[in-house]
Amino acid sequence: MLFLIASISALGIIGDGGRPDHVYAAVLAVLVVGTVLARLRLRAMVMALGATAVAQALVALGALVAVELNMFKNLNRLRA
């Protein structure tokens, strides 16, 4: 979690960093909300961590799709 916070604020996960990286804050929000709702009970925490993993995968997939769409948009602009 500490690495994710450092990556969002300083390193830049997507490209040069900035606003696109703030999407990864949603993963932390899922983790915090899941932990609060689970009240640190074992089975509920398993589901909360599973939801966090799914959120991480969805954000990464969304970032890849967004990068690909921007690449295609730039290619079309170069061809025109």
Side-chain angles (χ1 to χ4, degrees), residues 2-73:
L2 182 62
F3 180 72
L4 184 60
I5 293 170
S7 298
I8 291 171
S9 60
L11 298 176
I13 300 171
I14 303 171
D16 294 333
R19 286 187 172 240
D21 287 340
H22 292 147
V23 175
Y24 280 94
V27 175
L28 295 175
V30 169
L31 177 65
V32 170
V33 169
T35 302
V36 169
L37 291 176
R39 291 183 266 168
L40 299 175
R41 290 176 290 161
L42 181 62
R43 290 181 191 250
M45 282 299 293
V46 168
M47 293 192 325
L49 290 177
T52 304
V54 169
Q56 177 74 35
L58 289 176
V59 167
L61 181 66
L64 288 173
V65 168
V67 167
E68 284 296 318
L69 290 177
N70 279 340
M71 286 176 60
F72 288 132
K73 188 169 84 174

